[in-house]
């Protein structure tokens, strides 16, 4: 529910005081004039995000801002971030360390095993085909038990909580619809074989992972603190 997360305010097209606030303004995403569109379609919805100020009017047609937030969870005008959950179905993520197995290229370091489980169910309004059943899945990913791997786990845990690691759609593996599939943040599903086998070694994986997470506005806590200009209080 975008309204519950973003907490936008909706303009009432039947109130003169609201129409006065929209006079001379356009939707910054499409440059369509608000009052002209209301004249063409009085039922059209216009909302103001809470990041709006007296100088920067973050007003949008509802249909436009929903599409924008689905692509990137931030105000497209002032770039305020909104924690909108992705299309990942309900599931679990478990993390454990196995010192008896190594990722190729990291001998003797052990590995971090990420186990994901999705039981399947009925697709919600933000899924591929709302109301239709979808198949569950169990997936396993691997990271080397080194500092970069430990930082990667924190990113992936945050991405999982945000609903960005998996989605519901058409599986490229079995060509079936309504499947639990990988999202746009890549995981390493093999201890060996290199990038072509979604495995290790892969010298650029950690930097790519950070970039893929950043595209979803997912950062390590310390980087978020730096971006916000604050530091966590010491316990």
């Amino acid at each position: 529910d975008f309204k519950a997360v973003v907490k936008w305010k909706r303009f009432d097209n039947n109130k003169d005081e609201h129409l006065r606030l929209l006079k001379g303004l356009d939707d910054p995403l499409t440059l369509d004039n608000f009052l002209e569109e209301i004249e063409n379609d009085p039922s059209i919805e216009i909302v103001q995000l809470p990041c709006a100020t007296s100088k920067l009017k973050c007003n949008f047609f509802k249909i436009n801002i929903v599409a924008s937030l689905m692509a990137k969870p931030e105000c497209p005008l002032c770039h305020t971030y909104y924690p909108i959950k992705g299309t990942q179905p309900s599931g679990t993520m478990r993390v454990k360390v196995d010192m008896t197995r190594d990722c190729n290229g990291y001998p003797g370091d052990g590995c971090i095993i990420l186990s994901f489980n999705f039981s399947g169910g009925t697709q919600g309004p933000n899924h591929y085909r709302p109301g239709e059943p979808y198949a569950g899945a169990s997936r396993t990913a691997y990271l080397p038990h080194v500092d970069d791997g430990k930082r990667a786990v924190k990113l992936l845990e945050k991405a999982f909580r945000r609903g960005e690691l998996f989605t519901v759609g058409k599986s490229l593996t079995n060509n079936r619809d309504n499947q639990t599939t990988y999202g746009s943040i890549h995981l390493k599903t093999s201890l060996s074989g290199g990038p072509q086998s979604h495995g290790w070694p892969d010298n650029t994986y950690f930097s790519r992972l950070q970039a893929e997470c950043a595209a979803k506005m997912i950062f390590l806590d310390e980087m978020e603190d730096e971006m916000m200009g604050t530091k966590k209080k010491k316990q």
Side-chain angles (χ1 to χ4, degrees):
D1 186 344
F2 285 98
K3 182 179 179 181
V5 174
V6 179
K7 294 180 173 58
W8 61 45
K9 295 179 180 179
R10 187 173 70 85
F11 288 90
D12 189 333
N13 298 346
N14 295 312
K15 289 187 176 181
D16 290 340
E17 59 266 33
H18 285 203
L19 296 178
R20 284 195 294 270
L21 293 173
L22 294 171
K23 186 177 181 179
L25 298 180
D26 302 329
D27 184 321
L29 290 171
T30 61
L31 300 183
D32 292 319
N33 183 268
F34 288 124
L35 295 186
E36 289 178 2
E37 293 302 314
I38 289 174
E39 186 174 348
N40 293 331
D41 180 7
S43 67
I44 196 166
E45 293 184 89
I46 301 167
V47 299
Q48 182 179 80
L49 303 191
C51 51
T53 66
S54 59
K55 294 183 178 180
L56 195 61
K57 309 294 185 182
C58 299
N59 301 333
F60 304 91
F61 290 111
K62 179 182 172 183
I63 190 172
N64 294 339
I65 191 59
V66 166
S68 178
L69 290 171
M70 288 181 70
K72 192 172 185 180
E74 67 176 25
C75 173
L77 198 57
C78 70
H79 306 295
T80 296
Y81 169 70
Y82 292 97
I84 296 169
K85 197 169 184 179
T87 57
Q88 180 177 285
S90 178
T92 61
M93 173 184 179
R94 292 185 171 85
V95 180
K96 71 175 183 178
V97 175
D98 187 344
M99 296 305 296
T100 68
R101 305 167 71 189
D102 298 325
C103 294
N104 200 353
Y106 296 85
D109 288 317
C111 71
I112 303 170
I113 302 175
L114 312 177
S115 301
F116 305 94
N117 185 67
F118 302 91
S119 58
T122 302
Q123 297 180 54
N126 62 331
H127 287 146
Y128 183 54
R129 291 176 175 169
E132 292 190 15
Y134 69 92
S138 295
R139 298 287 183 265
T140 304
Y142 303 93
L143 294 165
H145 189 236
V146 295
D147 288 344
D148 283 338
K150 295 172 186 177
R151 283 191 289 269
V153 168
K154 293 180 180 180
L155 271 179
L156 292 173
E157 286 178 325
K158 184 173 286 190
F160 184 85
R161 291 194 298 271
R162 297 268 183 90
E164 297 289 0
L165 289 188
F166 293 84
T167 188
V168 175
K170 188 171 185 177
S171 171
L172 298 177
T173 304
N174 59 26
N175 204 36
R176 294 178 180 173
D177 285 323
N178 301 329
Q179 305 291 302
T180 299
T181 65
Y182 293 107
S184 58
I185 296 175
H186 290 80
L187 300 172
K188 287 296 184 182
T189 57
S190 177
L191 290 168
S192 60
Q196 62 271 25
S197 298
H198 307 291
W200 298 96
D202 186 342
N203 294 332
T204 63
Y205 174 73
F206 293 118
S207 59
R208 296 200 318 272
L209 175 64
Q210 288 185 352
E212 290 170 355
C213 288
K216 300 288 187 180
M217 302 299 290
I218 298 170
F219 305 94
L220 291 172
D221 289 345
E222 53 266 33
M223 186 173 292
E224 286 187 352
D225 291 341
E226 183 177 342
M227 291 167 63
M228 295 298 293
T230 60
K231 293 183 179 179
K232 286 188 172 182
K233 294 180 180 181
K234 294 183 178 179
Q235 299 297 324

